[in-house]
């Protein structure tokens, strides 16, 4: 909370957005405040037959991007590595391209989760048809709840990516909207899968 307060003061981050970072598990959204944008995305995990929500928060302004993730693993490392590479687009393009790169990373992290869910559903099907146990029905209900929760998360995230593409969003240049369209297509593919 001290770090959030200090960053909030240094970058004039909106207090409501800071609350959303502090109180995680928000629905995906884009909020526009004077001179800054604030976005919430989700990076859920599928562990022990349950969906565990994890929040990604991104502030962006004229000359800064501040991102938070409530997981112990450093999911932003691939983007940071690209920033450090000489000649990388992340070094030569504006902050809007960095925002795109973070969105792209979070959206694409859903594909391995879908694979894990799919594998688990196949195991449940084999169990139900081959040798059901007393827990089989409970496991099927757990998987169904996880799928419903995942669909709800993804629907909101798809709408958030679409919102970032709108012309009235500050600091997002028209050429970057082309890249964001690719993120939108991936978020639609995740929903279809």
């Amino acid at each position: 909370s001290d770090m959030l307060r200090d960053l909030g003061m240094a970058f004039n981050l909106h207090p409501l957005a800071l609350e959303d970072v502090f109180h995680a598990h928000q629905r995906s959204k884009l909020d526009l405040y004077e001179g800054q944008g604030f976005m919430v995305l989700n990076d859920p995990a599928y562990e022990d037959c349950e969906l565990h929500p994890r929040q990604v928060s991104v502030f962006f302004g004229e000359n800064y991007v501040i991102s938070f993730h409530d997981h112990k693993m450093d999911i932003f490392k691939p983007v940071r590595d690209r920033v450090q590479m000489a000649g990388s687009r992340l070094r030569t393009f504006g902050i809007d391209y960095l925002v795109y790169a973070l969105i792209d990373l979070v959206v694409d992290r859903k594909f391995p989760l879908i694979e894990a869910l799919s594998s688990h559903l196949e195991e449940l099907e084999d169990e139900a048809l081959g040798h059901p146990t007393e827990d089989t029905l409970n496991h099927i209900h757990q998987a169904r709840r996880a799928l419903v929760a995942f669909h709800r998360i993804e629907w909101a995230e798809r709408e958030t990516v679409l919102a970032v593409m709108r012309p009235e969003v500050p600091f997002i240049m028209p050429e970057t909207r082309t890249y964001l369209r690719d993120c939108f297509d991936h978020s639609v593919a995740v929903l279809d899968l």
Side-chain angles (χ1 to χ4, degrees):
S1 62
D2 291 340
M3 179 186 64
L4 282 176
R5 187 188 67 244
D6 293 345
L7 282 170
M9 289 172 41
F11 289 91
N12 197 27
L13 303 177
H14 199 280
L16 289 174
L18 287 171
E19 272 187 45
D20 285 346
V21 173
F22 190 71
H23 302 289
H25 308 301
Q26 302 291 318
R27 184 176 170 90
S28 289
K29 64 180 179 173
L30 171 69
D31 288 334
L32 300 177
Y33 301 103
E34 191 172 323
Q36 68 185 223
F38 172 69
M39 184 174 34
V40 172
L41 300 170
N42 283 284
D43 181 44
Y46 189 64
E47 299 164 346
D48 302 323
C49 305
E50 290 185 18
L51 195 69
H52 302 279
R54 297 183 306 214
Q55 181 171 310
V56 174
S57 306
V58 179
F59 290 92
F60 57 96
E62 187 173 349
N63 60 358
Y64 65 88
V65 175
I66 304 170
S67 56
F68 299 92
H69 187 277
D70 66 353
H71 188 271
K72 291 175 178 71
M73 191 176 90
D74 180 10
I75 71 161
F76 297 131
K77 185 177 180 341
V79 173
R80 225 181 359 269
D81 289 346
R82 286 173 51 203
V83 167
Q84 294 172 356
M85 288 176 41
S88 167
R89 288 182 184 166
L90 287 169
R91 292 179 78 141
T92 57
F93 288 26
I95 62 99
D96 55 333
Y97 193 80
L98 178 56
V99 170
Y100 149 74
L102 293 174
I103 294 171
D104 186 52
L105 177 92
V106 172
V107 169
D108 286 351
R109 284 177 54 83
K110 307 298 187 306
F111 289 105
L113 187 141
I114 290 172
E115 289 295 323
L117 263 167
S118 178
S119 294
H120 184 237
L121 291 174
E122 287 177 15
E123 290 169 9
L124 284 175
E125 183 178 357
D126 291 346
E127 180 181 322
L129 295 175
H131 47 83
T133 66
E134 292 179 18
D135 292 330
T136 301
L137 189 57
N138 185 38
H139 293 155
I140 290 171
H141 285 298
Q142 278 182 312
R144 183 183 172 284
R145 280 193 302 272
L147 282 171
V148 168
F150 184 67
H151 187 268
R152 198 171 32 245
I153 286 169
E154 282 312 296
W155 187 268
E157 189 162 280
R158 182 193 74 123
E159 293 301 308
T160 302
V161 174
L162 188 60
V164 175
M165 294 169 53
R166 292 192 183 116
E168 65 269 14
V169 176
F171 316 115
I172 304 296
M173 299 298 116
E175 53 273 11
T176 304
R177 288 191 186 97
T178 303
Y179 294 99
L180 286 166
R181 200 171 310 124
D182 185 59
C183 286
F184 179 75
D185 292 343
H186 287 191
S187 66
V188 169
V190 167
L191 269 174
D192 286 346
L193 288 172

